[in-house]
Amino acid sequence: MLQALKRATYMAPRVPRVPMARVSCRQLSSTSILRKKVLDEKLLNRAGVEDAQEQDKGKKWGSTAQMPREESQQVQKRTRRAWVLTGLMLGGVAAFLARPLSEDERETFPELKLNNWEFKGAWDRVQARYFSTVDSFTAPVFEKLLPDSLPPPYDRPTLVIAVDDLLVKSEWTRKYGWRVAKRPGVDYFLGYLAQFYEIVLFSDKYQAMAAETVLKLDPLRASVSYALFREATRYENGILIKDLRNLNRDLNRVLILDVDPEAVKLQPENCLLLDRWHGNSDDRDLVRLIPLLEWLGARPIKDVRESIKPYTNSPDGVLNEFERQDKLSREEWARTHSKQRPSINSLLGIGAGNSGVRPQDAIRMESQKNYERFKQHVDEYGKKMIEEEEQKMKDAMNQHEMTLNKWLQGDTPSPEELLKKDN
């Protein structure tokens, strides 16, 4: 083989030598092309080089060439088996969902009248049971999130307030971890409006994460009536929705404050949409909002949705629109009452303190007095009330003898002993 290669190389035309100093790029490229043409495929085949390479490849990979084909056939068989098993499982699940309704399910799905094995009746039962299962993960944890309201005249309108980015601001840093800041005026905001509303705080976070934050907003539980968390939201298309229908309250007397329009898209007519708080310490929007909520809560309004329409539809925003209308109201009141003669009651000293005062301002003056008395009581007895509450929790934990360790050790009291303890 080597002799044939030498003979073929000797018989090939030689390339003339060119001095290196005078060789151009074009000459170099032409020379390399000629050399490539000398060792072409025919010459290599004639010398037996290609056949030897193919034989070496065959010896090297011949023993393992059959293995990938066998493995691919096994993979195809497994894939077919998996598809068959998946089809059987889906068919079994569909047949289980399409089974006739039980007595309890007939009350849950009263619209399903067909209870036979026709296609339409079976398909309706499959859909109803499937979406009922999905709703158990996306719907609120309870159908009624709040207990029944007090009977008239003790009931009050309900004010739902978003916690995140409205009352507090949360941030995470690598240096400090999670930090939460309260918005300026939030304590006064909650304490003052508790005179007029049943306040419900609504957080987008889970209860395990946000319960401590809500507790710090009202440690005495004197302003906030209830607190709801992410478990009480409705999850649709990647959005957490606060469905007010699950509050167990009359929507005519429910008002919600929020910063996310998507969260209140089911009842936008009940919402006052506000700007997000970004953590600035000179913010005064909560205090600016108090007169509007005070006037809405103090009046016997039948439908709060009609009362907030002028502010929700304004392009200037809720606060700017209210302050503009409040200014016009003051000017109108001053113009109509400037030439009014003093009444007999004012001359006799009856109600002289509120003579010439707008109803809104009279309500505010009286409410300020009530809040001052409330604040004085909190300052005087607040610390003691917190200590008593903490002591009650400790006593309840100490009296709870049925611990997990006793259950695991088998040291559990008999039903007779439990009955004696209860008595």
Side-chain angles (χ1 to χ4, degrees):
M1 181 177 65
L2 296 176
Q3 293 179 358
L5 180 60
K6 291 180 180 180
R7 192 182 303 113
T9 307
Y10 178 79
M11 295 176 62
R14 294 185 177 181
V15 180
R17 294 183 178 180
V18 182
M20 292 301 295
R22 300 181 181 179
V23 175
S24 61
C25 294
R26 184 176 299 177
Q27 289 174 338
L28 285 174
S29 61
S30 62
T31 303
S32 60
I33 292 173
L34 289 174
R35 287 179 178 175
K36 288 181 180 180
K37 288 183 178 179
V38 170
L39 299 177
D40 57 0
E41 295 180 359
K42 292 182 180 180
L43 183 60
L44 292 174
N45 290 334
R46 194 183 306 166
V49 176
E50 190 70 21
D51 294 339
Q53 292 178 354
E54 292 295 331
Q55 291 176 2
D56 293 340
K57 289 181 180 180
K59 291 178 181 179
K60 184 177 181 180
W61 301 105
S63 59
T64 58
Q66 191 68 18
M67 294 176 61
R69 286 193 288 268
E70 294 177 356
E71 291 181 358
S72 63
Q73 292 177 359
Q74 293 179 0
V75 170
Q76 292 177 1
K77 290 181 180 178
R78 294 195 194 101
T79 304
R80 287 194 294 267
R81 292 174 186 171
W83 279 110
V84 171
L85 291 176
T86 303
L88 293 175
M89 291 175 61
L90 292 177
V93 171
F96 178 75
L97 295 177
R99 70 188 188 278
L101 299 176
S102 62
E103 295 182 359
D104 297 336
E105 289 178 329
R106 289 175 185 175
E107 298 178 358
T108 308
F109 309 112
E111 67 278 3
L112 299 180
K113 299 180 180 179
L114 298 177
N115 207 16
N116 49 31
W117 285 101
E118 295 181 359
F119 178 77
K120 187 179 185 309
W123 179 246
D124 289 342
R125 292 194 294 273
V126 170
Q127 284 185 314
R129 287 185 172 118
Y130 171 76
F131 288 112
S132 176
T133 305
V134 172
D135 288 342
S136 62
F137 295 97
T138 60
V141 288
F142 300 109
E143 185 177 355
K144 295 182 179 181
L145 299 175
L146 301 179
D148 295 338
S149 59
L150 297 174
Y154 305 103
D155 61 332
R156 294 175 294 171
T158 303
L159 178 62
V160 184
I161 308 175
V163 176
D164 309 285
D165 295 335
L166 182 59
L167 299 182
V168 300
K169 179 67 178 179
S170 304
E171 66 174 6
W172 186 90
T173 58
R174 297 182 63 181
K175 184 177 181 180
Y176 300 103
W178 278 106
R179 295 190 299 177
V180 181
K182 292 198 301 184
R183 193 169 186 174
V186 65
D187 295 332
Y188 173 65
F189 180 81
L190 296 175
Y192 186 83
L193 293 178
Q195 306 175 67
F196 311 99
Y197 294 96
E198 175 192 42
I199 297 180
V200 179
L201 299 185
F202 210 140
S203 176
D204 296 336
K205 299 178 181 179
Y206 290 106
Q207 183 175 1
M209 300 174 59
E212 185 176 357
T213 301
V214 172
L215 182 60
K216 289 183 177 180
L217 289 174
D218 184 25
L220 298 178
R221 298 176 179 85
S223 303
V224 179
S225 301
Y226 304 100
L228 300 175
F229 303 91
R230 185 167 183 167
E231 292 85 352
T233 59
R234 185 178 299 278
Y235 186 79
E236 291 183 2
N237 300 324
I239 301 173
L240 295 176
I241 302 175
K242 299 170 184 176
D243 194 351
L244 302 181
R245 295 173 297 183
N246 296 106
L247 291 180
N248 191 26
R249 294 293 184 268
D250 183 9
L251 292 183
N252 295 335
R253 294 169 56 82
V254 174
L255 177 62
I256 181 171
L257 307 179
D258 212 299
V259 296
D260 186 8
E262 293 293 331
V264 293
K265 66 178 184 179
L266 295 182
Q267 296 89 21
E269 63 278 0
N270 290 80
C271 177
L272 286 177
L273 200 62
L274 306 174
D275 296 330
R276 294 179 181 271
W277 179 53
H278 298 285
N280 48 320
S281 58
D282 57 346
D283 180 83
R284 301 294 295 172
D285 286 351
L286 283 182
V287 179
R288 291 172 56 194
L289 188 62
I290 288 178
L292 171 59
L293 299 176
E294 174 190 62
W295 181 237
L296 292 174
R299 293 185 298 166
I301 299 176
K302 294 182 179 180
D303 192 350
V304 70
R305 294 171 290 190
E306 296 295 330
S307 301
I308 65 174
K309 270 186 179 180
Y311 313 109
T312 56
N313 298 330
S314 174
D316 298 332
V318 174
L319 293 175
N320 294 331
E321 179 63 23
F322 169 72
E323 291 176 351
R324 187 185 68 83
Q325 293 191 15
D326 186 65
K327 183 180 179 181
L328 295 177
S329 174
R330 288 181 181 277
E331 294 175 355
E332 180 66 21
W333 179 269
R335 185 170 55 253
T336 56
H337 290 75
S338 59
K339 299 180 181 180
Q340 186 177 3
R341 296 179 180 179
S343 62
I344 299 177
N345 292 338
S346 62
L347 293 175
L348 295 177
I350 302 175
N354 292 337
S355 60
V357 180
R358 290 190 313 160
Q360 298 95 314
D361 298 332
I363 292 174
R364 185 171 301 115
M365 293 167 59
E366 189 65 27
S367 301
Q368 285 288 350
K369 295 178 182 179
N370 294 334
Y371 176 75
E372 290 175 2
R373 288 192 289 266
F374 166 76
K375 188 70 169 57
Q376 183 179 0
H377 181 78
V378 169
D379 295 339
E380 185 176 356
Y381 300 102
K383 186 177 180 180
K384 183 179 179 181
M385 293 170 63
I386 293 177
E387 293 176 354
E388 291 178 354
E389 187 69 21
E390 292 178 351
Q391 187 62 36
K392 287 181 181 179
M393 294 181 63
K394 291 180 180 180
D395 294 341
M397 293 296 295
N398 294 332
Q399 292 176 1
H400 188 68
E401 299 178 358
M402 303 298 294
T403 60
L404 180 60
N405 291 332
K406 288 188 176 182
W407 278 102
L408 294 176
Q409 295 173 3
D411 186 13
T412 58
S414 61
E416 292 79 7
E417 294 176 353
L418 290 176
L419 185 59
K420 290 179 180 179
K421 289 184 179 181
D422 293 339
N423 295 333

